[in-house]
Amino acid sequence: MKKKSLNYILCFVLLLSVFNVAYYSFVSYKNLFHSDAATVNLLTEEIIRTKSFFPSDWIYVNDIWILTGIIYIIPFRLFFSNGFFLHGIMSFLSYLFLMYAIFLLFYKKVKISDLFLIFVFFLTGFSEYYLESLLGQAAYSWMSTMILLIFYLSFNYIERLNKTKLIIIFLLFFLQTASGIRGISNFLIPFVVSFIYMYFSEININKKKNIKNLMLTFLSGSILGLICFFLLRKNLSFISPSTVPIILENTNYLNKFMLLFDSISYFFGFYTDIKIPIISITGIYIMFRFTLFIFLLITSLFVLKKQINKKDINNKFFSIFVFSAISFYITFLLYLFTDLSINIFTSRYFFTPVIIFLVYLFHFVFVENKNKWFKYLVAIFIMFNFLLSFNDFYNLKNLNYKSSHNLLAEYLLQKNVKYGYSTYWNAGVLTVLSDFKTQINAINLVNNDIEPFYHLSFKKWYSPEFYQGDSVLILQNSEKMSFEYYNDFYFEENFLNYKIFYYDYNISENFSGNQKIKFVKNTKYYFNNKNRNLNQKELTGFSDIENWGVWTNNKYSFFKFKINNAKNEINNIRIKFNVLTDGRSFQNVIIKINKKEILNLKTKNSLVETEVRVKDTIKNENLFEIELENIFSPKEIGLNDDNRKLGIAINYIEFYWLLIKNLYNIMKIQWKYKGN
């Protein structure tokens, strides 16, 4: 009866743990949600929109996502909008899949009560960062799940030859390595060492043959996977990895060790950078986390000593420990001697080896260990950990808290904002929180200018043709930039710690490489090499852009230009240009806009500045044409040694609305001659 009661209690605790995970995935994590985690939603949307599992314009970094949460999201996308709820489904199912892999390794090896305790520990975790990385981002739970499944299938194959399991193992190795080479330290090298250990520690000849088959399967699957990765990388949009470790020179190793300690403390939930009284709820929580870390560390050393002192080391499960030890050691070396240790958040690279090791640790405690008091001690730690973790799941200090990203996403929806741009950590997160009703794309602020952030993004998002309409620019108060090229916003407002600038067009037209000649009413647009928005490619029949202006070098020259909301707002144009003339011969200049002649001028003057009536001529998209009777070189007329055939050089053009009461002035062309 006591045993049944204990099982019922543990079953209730287990169900409550599952509920905690679900609540965190669908509710709590919304306030911690960020742009890295939003990437899976962004890629899924492009997969569905382009109807391609590998969208050609998606910019991959480090990895090519194959075995990831998109496998879960895509089917559910047919029934739900692509937003945070869909991300919650992905997180929850990914973690349940990890629990299933753990279940397979322990099934029929432990009592039901012990299995419940193991599940409770992994569902609870050991820190807020554990939940954020394995549940929120889910990428690290995927890697751990794949590793545990491979071990489970390998153990079964060694005991009972099964070609189906061997094929599945081959596919898992193939898919994991085809996703990218970043996991070599956490995946390929540790598996090589653990399989070698299994082979040399095995005594049974038949099982030794099976392990050899496993190793051949591992090698063939991994090699084919890497070949597939490089082929995909060649044919997809892929940029150099951002986390390639670089060996550092003149490293201060004391600082490195201090950062490593801070990272481990953050990893396990006992923070070293804050001062909190020990006699407080938070203080007790942190002290318990520290005690749990010390307990796990001492237990690990105890387990390792026990295994080494064993006469019979023929234990397949010990290969899991070998895997985790090699993976941890490689990560430790990279952390210590390379630039991998940027900040405490890079401690996430330790998650995979730690999770794999904990699986082995619990196998030792509940399967191999014969000391029941030691089991009781572990069980007590698990239950205390469960009770103290509720704040990690529910943020008990402030249940009604809403993050600034959530509030901003709601505000943008209220303002009916459809499209815009912001820096990376404020971009994708806003898109997903708004269920893609507001799309905010990531940008870089470089030298006080804006550049597209080609990092886990879609190239076409930054094309003016992809979206045509109003847009916003969202900057945090701490972010500074020059508005030299983006000063035509029609409204600016502050919201929380953000500044929002509203434009009546898609500002990607001004991004480097996207610029098209775009006039803004009541603003002079200069055709010189100081104008960053002027691109030589946009001009046909023109010479190189110079300091004063740009010369036509053909009898017929043209360019296309755009004015947003031009209708009923522009009726006049002011233009200033140079005419190449010897002062004796006339040059005939004809200018047309949208095939309508607006100027027909016969002049000997070298400099012309004029105003022309263009009512009902200007549209949003326009064609500007220049026709000349003759062109000749400055050398021909004795000005200098320039051999270029030239016509006129435009200095600036300005469009504006002119209210004139006098009909005579409306029709009259006003010339302002300068020069000869």
Side-chain angles (χ1 to χ4, degrees):
M1 182 68 182
K2 286 184 179 180
K3 191 174 181 180
K4 276 190 175 182
S5 300
L6 177 63
N7 286 343
Y8 285 140
I9 292 170
L10 288 174
C11 182
F12 172 76
V13 171
L14 176 61
L15 292 174
L16 186 55
S17 298
V18 173
F19 178 81
N20 289 346
V21 168
Y23 186 87
Y24 183 88
S25 300
F26 291 100
V27 182
S28 298
Y29 187 61
K30 195 171 185 179
N31 286 318
L32 300 171
F33 193 53
H34 52 77
S35 289
D36 269 359
T39 304
V40 65
N41 295 73
L42 300 178
L43 177 55
T44 299
E45 195 66 17
E46 293 310 318
I47 287 173
I48 291 171
R49 194 180 62 79
T50 59
K51 298 179 181 178
S52 169
F53 194 76
F54 299 107
S56 59
D57 275 348
W58 178 265
I59 302 162
Y60 294 89
V61 181
N62 296 314
D63 310 304
I64 295 173
W65 294 14
I66 301 175
L67 285 176
T68 60
I70 56 176
I71 294 173
Y72 290 133
I73 286 187
I74 289 174
F76 284 97
R77 177 65 182 85
L78 301 173
F79 306 100
F80 302 101
S81 60
N82 191 354
F84 181 77
F85 179 77
L86 207 61
H87 188 278
I89 292 175
M90 182 273 297
S91 299
F92 185 65
L93 292 181
S94 295
Y95 210 67
L96 289 186
F97 194 27
L98 174 62
M99 294 302 104
Y100 177 68
I102 294 171
F103 167 79
L104 291 174
L105 285 167
F106 285 98
Y107 181 58
K108 293 184 179 179
K109 292 183 180 180
V110 297
K111 296 185 296 183
I112 189 70
S113 57
D114 294 340
L115 187 60
F116 283 169
L117 283 169
I118 293 169
F119 280 154
V120 168
F121 179 82
F122 281 103
L123 287 167
T124 302
F126 45 76
S127 69
E128 291 177 71
Y129 196 43
Y130 172 97
L131 295 178
E132 198 282 324
S133 295
L134 268 78
L135 252 178
Q137 294 196 55
Y140 298 96
S141 64
W142 264 101
M143 175 71 82
S144 302
T145 301
M146 291 301 105
I147 293 167
L148 294 177
L149 280 177
I150 288 171
F151 272 117
Y152 165 75
L153 293 167
S154 298
F155 295 160
N156 274 264
Y157 177 79
I158 292 170
E159 294 297 327
R160 293 182 300 276
L161 203 66
N162 187 313
K163 289 185 178 179
T164 303
K165 286 185 173 64
L166 202 62
I167 292 170
I168 296 172
I169 291 169
F170 172 85
L171 289 173
L172 289 176
F173 276 117
F174 170 77
L175 291 172
Q176 191 64 50
T177 49
S179 298
I181 59 175
R182 189 168 57 156
I184 285 179
S185 61
N186 291 95
F187 189 78
L188 294 183
I189 296 174
F191 261 119
V192 168
V193 178
S194 60
F195 279 147
I196 290 173
Y197 163 78
M198 275 195 281
Y199 180 80
F200 285 104
S201 64
E202 182 59 63
I203 301 172
N204 186 294
I205 295 174
N206 291 327
K207 291 181 180 179
K208 220 174 178 75
K209 287 180 180 177
N210 294 347
I211 295 171
K212 191 182 288 185
N213 290 337
L214 268 178
M215 294 173 74
L216 291 171
T217 302
F218 158 72
L219 289 172
S220 58
S222 300
I223 291 170
L224 284 174
L226 287 173
I227 292 171
C228 179
F229 168 74
F230 284 111
L231 288 173
L232 285 170
R233 177 176 172 169
K234 185 178 179 181
N235 291 284
L236 296 173
S237 298
F238 191 95
I239 63 174
S240 298
S242 58
T243 53
V244 172
I246 300 171
I247 296 176
L248 301 174
E249 297 179 2
N250 303 319
T251 303
N252 187 326
Y253 290 105
L254 178 61
N255 290 342
K256 281 274 188 176
F257 271 108
M258 292 303 297
L259 180 60
L260 180 62
F261 178 74
D262 289 341
S263 299
I264 290 173
S265 67
Y266 185 75
F267 184 90
F268 281 96
F270 57 96
Y271 312 116
T272 59
D273 59 342
I274 51 176
K275 294 180 180 179
I276 294 175
I278 294 177
I279 305 175
S280 65
I281 294 175
T282 306
I284 293 170
Y285 170 86
I286 291 175
M287 286 303 298
F288 174 79
R289 292 296 188 204
F290 178 72
T291 306
L292 178 63
F293 167 72
I294 297 298
F295 175 74
L296 290 172
L297 184 63
I298 293 172
T299 305
S300 305
L301 296 173
F302 171 74
V303 169
L304 185 58
K305 182 182 176 183
K306 281 276 190 182
Q307 281 291 356
I308 292 173
N309 292 337
K310 266 188 170 185
K311 292 180 181 179
D312 178 19
I313 60 169
N314 182 21
N315 182 356
K316 293 188 298 296
F317 230 88
F318 191 67
S319 62
I320 292 181
F321 172 82
V322 172
F323 179 99
S324 62
I326 297 299
S327 180
F328 186 92
Y329 185 64
I330 292 172
T331 307
F332 172 77
L333 291 178
L334 293 173
Y335 207 84
L336 195 60
F337 296 107
T338 73
D339 65 342
L340 191 66
S341 52
I342 302 169
N343 51 47
I344 59 173
F345 301 109
T346 55
S347 61
R348 63 184 179 272
Y349 295 113
F350 288 101
F351 266 112
T352 300
V354 168
I355 295 301
I356 303 304
F357 169 74
L358 288 172
V359 170
Y360 170 75
L361 182 65
F362 282 116
H363 181 272
F364 177 85
V365 170
F366 292 107
V367 178
E368 299 179 44
N369 170 53
K370 305 302 179 184
N371 188 331
K372 65 178 182 179
W373 293 108
F374 184 59
K375 284 185 182 180
Y376 293 155
L377 183 61
V378 171
I380 289 169
F381 263 98
I382 290 173
M383 293 308 295
F384 264 105
N385 185 57
F386 166 76
L387 292 172
L388 288 175
S389 67
F390 271 75
N391 188 60
D392 296 345
F393 287 102
Y394 296 95
N395 188 19
L396 298 176
K397 292 180 183 178
N398 191 354
L399 287 170
N400 297 319
Y401 169 76
K402 266 192 177 184
S403 70
S404 59
H405 282 144
N406 276 282
L407 294 170
L408 179 57
E410 291 173 2
Y411 184 72
L412 293 174
L413 285 172
Q414 290 174 14
K415 301 285 283 187
N416 199 30
V417 172
K418 301 294 184 186
Y419 211 78
Y421 303 88
S422 188
T423 46
Y424 178 74
W425 293 109
N426 300 310
V429 58
L430 294 174
T431 301
V432 177
L433 288 174
S434 69
D435 291 353
F436 280 80
K437 292 173 184 174
T438 300
Q439 181 163 337
I440 306 297
N441 305 314
I443 54 170
N444 260 340
L445 300 179
V446 180
N447 297 324
N448 288 323
D449 200 357
I450 295 176
E451 288 183 358
F453 189 58
Y454 291 132
H455 176 106
L456 298 176
S457 55
F458 197 60
K459 283 182 181 177
K460 290 184 179 176
W461 292 343
Y462 305 100
S463 168
E465 287 74 31
F466 183 80
Y467 170 82
Q468 295 179 351
D470 293 4
S471 64
V472 296
L473 174 62
I474 302 170
L475 300 177
Q476 288 181 281
N477 289 335
S478 59
E479 294 172 334
K480 306 297 180 184
M481 65 165 282
S482 167
F483 280 85
E484 182 179 355
Y485 312 118
Y486 301 92
N487 60 0
D488 52 344
F489 52 85
Y490 65 84
F491 184 61
E492 172 190 356
E493 67 175 335
N494 293 315
F495 182 81
L496 301 177
N497 61 325
Y498 301 96
K499 285 186 178 180
I500 308 173
F501 303 90
Y502 295 81
Y503 299 82
D504 58 7
Y505 66 99
N506 185 352
I507 61 169
S508 68
E509 294 177 7
N510 293 340
F511 292 172
S512 179
N514 281 351
Q515 302 102 325
K516 291 186 176 179
I517 294 178
K518 181 175 72 66
F519 296 113
V520 179
K521 63 179 183 177
N522 302 324
T523 303
K524 291 181 180 179
Y525 187 96
Y526 287 92
F527 283 72
N528 57 34
N529 53 19
K530 296 177 183 177
N531 186 346
R532 170 252 189 215
N533 284 328
L534 185 62
N535 193 317
Q536 190 74 48
K537 294 179 181 179
E538 299 156 0
L539 304 171
T540 302
F542 287 82
S543 187
D544 292 338
I545 302 169
E546 300 178 48
N547 187 46
W548 189 89
V550 59
W551 286 95
T552 61
N553 61 4
N554 203 297
K555 288 185 177 181
Y556 174 70
S557 308
F558 72 90
F559 59 83
K560 293 180 180 179
F561 68 93
K562 181 176 182 179
I563 298 183
N564 291 300
N565 299 326
K567 190 177 181 181
N568 299 324
E569 293 189 14
I570 291 171
N571 63 4
N572 252 53
I573 176 176
R574 184 181 290 113
I575 183 170
K576 180 180 179 180
F577 57 88
N578 267 37
V579 179
L580 184 60
T581 174
D582 59 5
R584 299 184 300 273
S585 305
F586 284 94
Q587 174 66 280
N588 194 36
V589 181
I590 297 175
I591 296 179
K592 297 178 182 178
I593 295 182
N594 298 327
K595 301 298 181 182
K596 182 178 179 181
E597 187 177 294
I598 64 163
L599 178 65
N600 192 327
L601 171 67
K602 199 170 185 178
T603 181
K604 294 180 182 179
N605 294 287
S606 61
L607 184 62
V608 176
E609 186 173 5
T610 183
E611 298 175 13
V612 183
R613 184 75 168 167
V614 290
K615 183 173 171 53
D616 300 327
T617 303
I618 306 300
K619 304 174 184 176
N620 284 0
E621 303 284 344
N622 303 276
L623 175 66
F624 192 100
E625 299 171 286
I626 301 170
E627 296 177 6
L628 303 173
E629 187 175 324
N630 294 298
I631 59 171
F632 36 83
S633 69
K635 188 174 182 179
E636 287 178 61
I637 59 175
L639 290 179
N640 52 48
D641 292 331
D642 191 346
N643 283 316
R644 294 178 299 166
K645 298 282 188 178
L646 305 174
I648 68 170
I650 302 176
N651 176 240
Y652 74 78
I653 298 177
E654 179 183 3
F655 290 88
Y656 58 97
W657 178 265
L658 182 63
L659 183 62
I660 306 174
K661 295 181 179 180
N662 192 321
L663 251 182
Y664 175 76
N665 287 333
I666 293 178
M667 303 303 298
K668 181 181 178 182
I669 297 177
Q670 299 176 357
W671 302 109
K672 297 180 183 179
Y673 294 109
K674 294 184 181 179
N676 296 326

